[in-house]
Amino acid sequence: MEGRLDDRSAPIGWGSTDSGERSSRRWRRIDWILVAILTFVSALASFHDLGNRSAPQTFWKPGVAGDGFTVDFGETRSVGRLNLYEGPGATGNSKVEYSLDGLNWQTYAEIEHKVSRAFTWKSEDKLVEARYMRYTATRVGFRMYEAAFFSPDGKTPIPIASVTDNEKKGTLTEGSGALAFDEQSEAPYRPDYRNSMYFDEIYHGRTAYEFIEKMEPYENTHPPLGKVILSLGVELFGMTPYGWRFMAAVGGTLMVPVFYMAARGMFKRTRYAFMATLLLMFEGFHLVHSRMANVDIFGVTFTILMYYFMYLYGETKWRNGGFGKSFLYLGLSGFFFGCAASVKWNYLYGGAGLAILFFWYLYRRAKEARENGDNGYLKRVVLTIMACLVLYIAVPVGTYVASYTQFLQSTKADDSIKDLWQYQKNMYDYHKGVKEKHPYSSKWYTWPLMLRPVWYYGGKDLAQGDAQSIAAIGNPLVWWGGLAALLASWFLGAIRRSRIVLVTAVMYLSFYVPWMVSPRSITFLYHYFPMVPLLILSIVWILRFAEQESPRVGKALSALTLTGAAVLFVWFYPIYTGLTISREWMNFGIRWLDSWGF
């Protein structure tokens, strides 16, 4: 039984050697010290070089085709690059021309403004001699937050003598051309992840800003809670790379003590909680998503909480006051289930696992009642099921509906709660209709082997022979070793009747199996993220099993596993954080498989 395994003493422990104390879920001083250290280290990794703390804030918005301005350098200058920083509503077209005398103009660049460049620096490279640059909107729908011209050998913007608006202004024009040149110190020569959005930040981080500004949200293909959380960082630090990523870093940092709590409660040993949390910190997916304005870091944290509290419910016997306490765990599990579903729909899949575990635990309570002669069992079952109508239907639904508050306040239409059903239908139709091919999409059966990581960011304007990437790729030892541990734990756990393995198996399958029949045809490796903490729990369960069966071998295996995970974390650290390395090392040392395209 699991209880027998929990009570056995492993060869190496923390603090007291008393078996009863070591098998308790109650934290001791060493737990608090370890959690503080692990959380601090995780925060350093998440917040280090997270992004610039400043960015252009003022903007010019043309209101009609032909709206524009003329820039005068005051003297003839060599212009080699134009950098543009756009905001929300990045659609439209514009033309940039250059002149030596202000009379004869030639085309420098024709620019198509795209949604994918919101809060992103775009470069136009062309070497010309000019005193004047003329900017004209040919199709409106964009905001120009800042523009900067650079000489071929300069890394700072060319000084501007004056900016003159043309005569064709529309009634919807906002600001003046001068506002596109009033924050030149914020203009970088080289666009980079530190000063620009990348990948889905252009949707999630942008929507967080739109919630604050009460602008029509562009992205509505996922529920709002993740973007609402991201907006807290924008409120604190402004619409800057650091601001729109801040709460993701907070979420990734908080996942560490949350996961420690779950592992400590399930294994009842400081040692195994520490091992599990170390593996989480060495896991690349966790770090990558802690450093970008992506909402999955919140959803996965909520899923850990929802299945851990369900586990605690299953471990709480109904006698001696346990029946009343069990409702607390059910309520917390239901609440965090609602939070997870309010981030992304794919976390709803975990609800099937919670239901399976719930009815399994009711069966266990029935067995205990028969053994103890408890005649009040049926009454407690009825009360529990009635309570679940509230805790697993009303509470999650209420949480989900409440997450739409800021969304409804931002829409231009006179929408209200009654329109929520239409929003859900629109989301379903969108995901069902996603057919557009993506170079980094992957099928569900390739995820456990990590065959196609998602290339989030690739650096440009690098020195010859250099490479810079950020990729959604995990730690190979955790993913491949975790898959082996998961399957082995199912076999051994069935023999040992392990309740920990039951939880990990049920939750893993509930998150994974729905993707096999999902109507969405374009999927990505990051959809596997909620299964990664379950892989880690499976690794730790196998290591604990090995230590109990053969202390010397088990101890060596545990040390080898943690050391290997740490080495591989350092090995892949450059593509977790966007460090610049040599292209030769990227191709030879980092790209282990040809399908790893970064």
Side-chain angles (χ1 to χ4, degrees), residues 46-52 193 241-242 245-246 249 290-292:
S46 295
F47 284 98
H48 172 68
D49 204 17
L50 186 62
N52 291 352
Y193 82 87
Y242 188 84
R245 293 174 189 144
F246 177 80
S290 298
R291 293 175 53 81
M292 66 181 296

Side-chain angles (χ1 to χ4, degrees), residues 433-443 521-524:
V434 173
K435 304 293 183 184
E436 184 179 352
K437 298 294 183 182
H438 192 286
Y440 290 93
S441 64
S442 57
K443 297 297 184 181
S521 59
I522 305 299
T523 54
F524 298 88

Side-chain angles (χ1 to χ4, degrees), residues 457-490:
Y457 168 81
K460 300 178 180 179
D461 283 345
L462 298 167
Q464 188 172 3
D466 284 351
Q468 182 192 31
S469 290
I470 298 174
I473 184 172
N475 186 313
L477 186 145
V478 174
W479 283 54
W480 297 338
L483 179 62
L486 183 78
L487 298 176
S489 71
W490 289 358

Side-chain angles (χ1 to χ4, degrees), residues 208-221:
Y209 172 76
E210 290 166 340
F211 283 168
I212 294 171
E213 297 297 322
K214 301 295 187 292
M215 299 170 63
E216 185 73 24
Y218 174 77
E219 189 275 319
N220 55 14
T221 59

Side-chain angles (χ1 to χ4, degrees), residues 368-388:
E368 292 168 1
R370 287 196 302 270
E371 293 173 350
N372 299 325
D374 183 0
N375 297 324
Y377 166 73
L378 288 179
K379 180 180 178 181
R380 292 191 182 100
V381 168
V382 171
L383 289 174
T384 300
I385 292 176
M386 291 177 63
C388 284

Side-chain angles (χ1 to χ4, degrees), residues 95-110 126-130 132-135:
K95 180 170 66 173
V96 182
E97 301 167 287
Y98 67 97
S99 173
L100 287 169
D101 56 11
L103 299 174
N104 301 294
W105 296 91
Q106 299 182 65
T107 299
Y108 182 85
E110 293 187 352
K126 184 176 182 179
L127 180 59
V128 300
E129 296 292 318
Y132 302 97
M133 304 294 294
R134 185 165 68 185
Y135 192 98

